[in-house]
Amino acid sequence: MSSPSSSPAAAERRQPPAVATPNGFGMTDAGLVLMATIWGVNYSVVKAGLQAMTPLSFTAVRMVFAALVLFAVAQFIRDAWPSRRDALQLFLLGLLGNGFYQLLFISGMARTRAGVAALIVAAGPAWIAIMSRMLGRERVSRLGWGGIGLQLVGVVCVVGSTQGFEGGEQGLIGAVLISAGSIAWALYSVLLQPYTQRAHALHLSAITLASGALMMAIVGLPDMLRLDWGAVSRTGWGAVAYSALGAMVVGYMLFYHGVRVLGPTKTAMYGNLQPIIAIAVAWAMLHETPTSWQLLGAGFIMAGLLVSRTAKVRPAPEALEEAA
């Protein structure tokens, strides 16, 4: 996955108001460029991994590996772990955000292009804004809804164009599955917001990823039992290591550091580099030549993201009463 388990809006509320945002391009900015590069490359890496392993076995192995590493790293965090009640609720949330999402994502990746997947996931903030409004968490300005509309138009362009790929109907099914996964991730992100105010992000990531990894291990068990592990190539194992350690561990840590130092808005702007990098890498590694509709969709999505970042988003009155 190329998305962290903490929403930018909630993370912003945790920032100490007295901390000034650094000016200029520094090490944090360089780290966020690296983050976007890692996540952008990951789409092509996953496609390469699926040549060596089945989708379910690949996802199960990388998620279990990443969860173990995250728990090990989280032990060095001085903040207290969430209470038992919160931990149980986070565990259940992880089934949605890391279990069902990864199941839909990997099923879609096995059927469609890496560049298509990256563009659809890039429109995730639109679904988050819609979910936040539906659940009474945030209110978006008219300018913000305009940006959301542009992103959704871009998604329609990208998803609709998949019928013209060599995958035909399977490519369309893959794009729809990834879109459904993005909606599941958006709902998870909104529901996770209250917990980000009282627990460290690494603890949240470790717990929610653990439940998703457990779910994928159970779903992928038949595939793993049938898989000839000795026949898995070095490329396959390299894809597992990169996707787990790079995308799910290093990428998440760079993201959270960026949110803490620069704030969520500037951090998210670096994240918007993902689809551009993903399309370029897929073009070079997988020979996925972008179509005119894909490029048009990319234009709508990136324009929508830019408009959304400049629009005002404020908590809904009912959300303020809940937090009081």
Side-chain angles (χ1 to χ4, degrees):
M1 166 61 192
S2 300
S3 305
S5 57
S6 175
S7 71
E12 186 174 33
R13 289 195 288 272
R14 297 184 63 196
Q15 305 308 311
V19 176
T21 302
N23 295 319
F25 188 92
M27 292 300 296
T28 300
D29 300 87
L32 291 175
V33 172
L34 175 60
M35 172 203 75
T37 303
I38 290 173
W39 285 349
V41 172
N42 188 55
Y43 291 93
S44 293
V45 170
V46 169
K47 293 292 287 186
L50 295 181
Q51 299 298 315
M53 303 171 69
T54 64
L56 293 181
S57 58
F58 176 84
T59 303
V61 172
R62 76 166 181 135
M63 288 184 68
V64 170
F65 186 20
L68 292 174
V69 174
L70 272 176
F71 264 105
V73 174
Q75 300 302 320
F76 295 94
I77 302 301
R78 296 181 179 179
D79 294 17
W81 282 82
S83 64
R84 287 187 178 182
R85 180 179 178 181
D86 280 1
L88 176 59
Q89 293 174 339
L90 288 168
F91 190 85
L92 294 176
L93 273 179
L95 296 176
L96 172 66
N98 285 305
F100 284 107
Y101 167 73
Q102 289 291 344
L103 180 61
L104 291 166
F105 176 78
I106 199 65
S107 299
M109 281 290 291
R111 292 173 169 85
T112 196
R113 294 184 170 194
V116 169
L119 286 172
I120 294 174
V121 172
W127 297 117
I128 292 177
I130 292 172
M131 292 293 178
S132 294
R133 184 65 184 92
M134 290 176 62
L135 296 177
R137 296 293 176 85
E138 292 179 333
R139 288 187 176 178
V140 182
S141 66
R142 291 182 180 179
L143 182 62
W145 284 116
I148 291 170
L150 288 173
Q151 293 174 63
L152 295 182
V153 169
V155 170
V156 171
C157 291
V158 173
V159 173
S161 70
T162 54
Q163 283 281 27
F165 296 160
E166 58 275 10
E169 183 178 347
Q170 285 299 309
L172 177 60
I173 293 173
V176 171
L177 287 172
I178 293 173
S179 298
S182 294
I183 295 173
W185 175 266
L187 177 59
Y188 160 77
S189 298
V190 175
L191 294 176
L192 192 71
Q193 286 183 8
Y195 301 96
T196 62
Q197 301 178 46
R198 54 181 185 264
H200 194 281
L202 271 177
H203 292 163
L204 299 182
S205 295
I207 295 172
T208 54
L209 185 58
S211 60
L214 177 61
M215 173 182 167
M216 288 305 305
I218 294 173
V219 173
L221 183 59
D223 274 21
M224 289 190 287
L225 292 176
R226 290 192 297 266
L227 183 65
D228 182 1
W229 294 96
V232 177
S233 65
R234 292 183 179 179
T235 300
W237 287 118
V240 169
Y242 181 94
S243 191
L245 297 178
M248 287 189 160
V249 178
V250 176
Y252 280 14
M253 292 175 67
L254 290 172
F255 173 85
Y256 291 128
H257 179 70
V259 169
R260 181 174 63 84
V261 176
L262 299 181
T265 300
K266 288 188 176 181
T267 300
M269 291 301 292
Y270 282 102
N272 293 343
L273 295 171
Q274 282 185 73
I276 299 173
I277 296 171
I279 291 174
V281 173
W283 195 350
M285 288 181 56
L286 307 177
H287 308 293
E288 293 185 359
T289 304
T291 67
S292 57
W293 279 103
Q294 187 175 344
L295 294 175
L296 178 63
F300 275 117
I301 291 172
M302 299 309 293
L305 285 169
L306 182 60
V307 171
S308 296
R309 295 306 178 198
T310 60
K312 293 183 178 179
V313 177
R314 64 183 186 279
E318 51 268 35
L320 293 175
E321 292 176 2
E322 180 183 338

